[in-house]
Amino acid sequence: PQGLKAAIESKQGKAILVDYYADWCVACQHMEHKVFVQPLIQAQLEQFQRLKIDLTESTAGKQAIMKQQHVFGPPSLLFLSPNGDEVRELRITGEISAEELSSILSRALQQPEIL
């Protein structure tokens, strides 16, 4: 949890997208290789600092971060304001399409807390 806090603090000034991922997660692989690579998604993601939390190997620290953030497993995407507060209504849990992600990213970029 302290590592996540430090990473968030180092990203001050820009909205943060926290991506919970695991190599063994089929939905994560789809998101990584089919959704995040889309040109429109790439352009939208440039507006965010992206923190990727790799849950491939479970550790006490990673479990603590998940518990602290109320994340049940990957894939999960959390949108944080530049000061580190989550904009909870934008949270994504599970696999989604590029179109759905693009819509949510657009909504996120219109949120006053994110800007």
Side-chain angles (χ1 to χ4, degrees), residues 39-52:
L40 178 58
I41 300 297
Q42 288 289 306
Q44 290 174 305
L45 287 175
E46 288 179 10
Q47 304 299 312
F48 297 88
Q49 293 287 336
R50 190 170 169 200
L51 289 177
K52 192 171 191 177

Side-chain angles (χ1 to χ4, degrees), residues 66-72 77-81 85-93 104 107 111 113-114:
M66 289 174 60
K67 184 175 181 178
Q68 177 186 29
Q69 296 289 320
H70 305 285
V71 171
F72 299 105
L77 300 173
L78 282 61
F79 293 85
L80 308 181
S81 67
D85 295 330
E86 182 181 3
V87 181
R88 184 69 184 217
E89 65 268 14
L90 297 172
R91 181 182 283 216
I92 300 168
T93 302
I104 293 168
R107 279 186 33 224
Q111 296 285 327
E113 307 92 294
I114 294 290

Side-chain angles (χ1 to χ4, degrees), residues 1-12 16 49 51:
Q2 292 303 328
L4 177 60
K5 182 178 177 185
I8 290 169
E9 289 172 356
S10 75
K11 307 289 186 194
Q12 287 292 332
I16 302 164
Q49 293 287 336
L51 289 177

Side-chain angles (χ1 to χ4, degrees), residues 7-39:
I8 290 169
E9 289 172 356
S10 75
K11 307 289 186 194
Q12 287 292 332
K14 202 168 189 182
I16 302 164
L17 176 64
V18 182
D19 178 5
Y20 285 87
Y21 165 93
D23 287 344
W24 46 260
C25 170
V26 175
C28 297
Q29 295 302 317
H30 174 79
M31 297 283 293
E32 198 69 22
H33 300 288
K34 300 288 186 195
V35 176
F36 289 131
V37 298
Q38 298 295 316

